[in-house]
Amino acid sequence: MKRAIGFIDSGVGGLTVVKEVLKQLPHEQIYYLGDTARCPYGPRDRDEVHQFTWEMTNFLVERNIKMLVIACNTATAAALADIRATLDIPVIGVIQPGSRAALKATHNNRVGVLGTIGTVQSMAYPKALKGLNRRVEVDSLACPKFVSVVESGEYKSAIAKKIVAESLLPLKSTKIDTIILGCTHYPLLKTLIENFMGSDVAVINSGEETASEVSALLDYHDLLDQDDKGVQHRFFTTGSVSIFQDIAQDWLDIPDMHVEHIKLGNEKGVYQ
Ligand code: DGL
């Protein structure tokens, strides 16, 4: 019986990580849960994000996943350490892989981090980056408008372009040569971000590095799937199935994707 890799996020953002994992590990089965009904997590306080992250985790653990990817930076900052210490399956987040990828890309050790309010306030990126390289200088910027642009499916629109330009203006005058997309929703805005920042700034999507880490960990634990016989991906959302499905189908190339609606805890949020 195949066991899936579990992915959790506050909404569709973690699909940007799933995309990279499917590219590198096409035999693996994916179970994905997006807590769209309570998205965004970014402005919520840490304890609440911690509780919601545990609710998502328990939902997937009950479905016998073999590994958990916390494909949300805000949730990683709030709950990774605790969840990793508690579960007996491998658990990874996206902050350490994103930091590693940025340090590979930077030439001048000046790195920008775009994230939610929760991620920026947690200081998780500066801690991770400086833990790997003490000389790196970090400019963090919260972009609270980006998540709603993505969740509403407007990420290719003129409004998105305007919001990206307005939000990133403070970074234009810095010396950063690398930007980490420190929220898994932001890769859907990557082209707009690259166009605004110009070709001298490398834009890092932590998904690719996270996928390499997933691959290495599964290999280490002898959990890699050798063929795609019996693979049945499952996608769960606490919000609108049709909006989730439209974005997921645009982003992932999965034919006949089936999205299931589920309930978690006491849902209070914007994207019902
Ligand atoms: N995708 C999430 C992240 O990586 C959070 C977005 C949100 O819910 O605010 O931080």
Side-chain angles (χ1 to χ4, degrees):
M1 184 60 174
K2 253 191 194 315
R3 290 173 74 199
I5 307 172
F7 292 79
I8 53 174
D9 179 53
S10 61
V12 293
L15 295 172
T16 62
V17 182
V18 169
K19 188 181 173 92
E20 298 300 329
V21 169
L22 286 175
K23 230 190 265 174
Q24 291 187 34
L25 298 167
H27 300 324
E28 295 298 328
Q29 174 166 283
I30 308 296
Y31 284 3
Y32 183 96
L33 169 54
D35 190 10
T36 320
R38 298 187 293 196
C39 186
Y41 279 13
R44 296 181 185 272
D45 78 46
R46 194 180 175 283
D47 288 350
E48 194 171 38
V49 174
H50 182 267
Q51 184 200 321
F52 291 179
T53 307
W54 263 113
E55 287 172 13
M56 290 194 287
T57 298
N58 289 334
F59 179 88
L60 290 182
V61 167
E62 280 164 18
R63 280 151 189 83
N64 197 28
I65 53 170
K66 62 182 176 182
M67 174 178 191
L68 177 70
V69 181
I70 305 182
C72 172
N73 293 264
T74 316
T76 297
L80 171 67
D82 182 32
I83 292 175
R84 182 180 271 165
T86 309
L87 297 188
D88 57 6
I89 53 173
V91 181
I92 66 163
V94 278
I95 291 178
Q96 202 69 20
S99 303
R100 254 199 308 277
L103 292 175
K104 276 190 216 162
T106 182
H107 296 292
N108 68 359
N109 282 334
R110 295 289 305 263
V111 174
V113 177
L114 309 182
T116 65
I117 295 169
T119 300
V120 169
Q121 281 177 352
S122 74
M123 298 294 285
Y125 270 102
K127 275 185 219 150
L129 286 160
K130 283 179 186 293
L132 294 164
N133 176 353
R134 267 195 306 142
R135 275 186 288 278
V136 75
E137 285 180 51
V138 185
D139 286 295
S140 302
L141 182 69
C143 303
K145 292 187 178 161
F146 286 10
V147 169
S148 55
V149 171
V150 171
E151 286 290 336
S152 59
E154 304 259 355
Y155 46 92
K156 294 174 187 162
S157 68
I159 298 166
K161 189 175 172 190
K162 186 162 175 277
I163 289 175
V164 165
E166 282 169 4
S167 305
L168 300 192
L169 199 56
L171 289 181
K172 272 288 204 187
S173 53
T174 66
K175 293 201 164 47
I176 55 167
D177 72 347
T178 303
I179 284 188
I180 303 175
L181 302 179
C183 167
T184 52
H185 282 72
Y186 299 178
L188 286 106
L189 297 165
K190 188 170 183 231
T191 309
L192 294 178
I193 294 170
E194 282 171 337
N195 290 345
F196 181 76
M197 291 308 295
S199 54
D200 292 342
V201 178
V203 178
I204 305 295
N205 166 4
S206 60
E208 209 177 304
E209 190 80 12
T210 305
S212 304
E213 199 163 303
V214 169
S215 172
L217 262 171
L218 288 179
D219 188 24
Y220 179 80
H221 290 279
D222 202 14
L223 288 168
L224 277 171
D225 271 321
Q226 303 306 331
D227 61 55
D228 51 13
K229 257 187 250 134
V231 165
Q232 268 200 313
H233 303 309
R234 294 182 77 179
F235 295 87
F236 305 96
T237 177
T238 57
S240 155
V241 166
S242 64
I243 296 175
F244 185 97
Q245 189 144 354
D246 285 349
I247 299 173
Q249 238 145 17
D250 179 40
W251 192 247
L252 303 175
D253 194 17
I254 297 179
D256 305 324
M257 175 186 275
H258 179 61
V259 181
E260 300 164 59
H261 182 265
I262 60 130
K263 270 192 175 303
L264 284 179
N266 173 22
E267 293 163 8
K268 266 190 247 120
V270 187
Y271 307 103
Q272 298 276 11

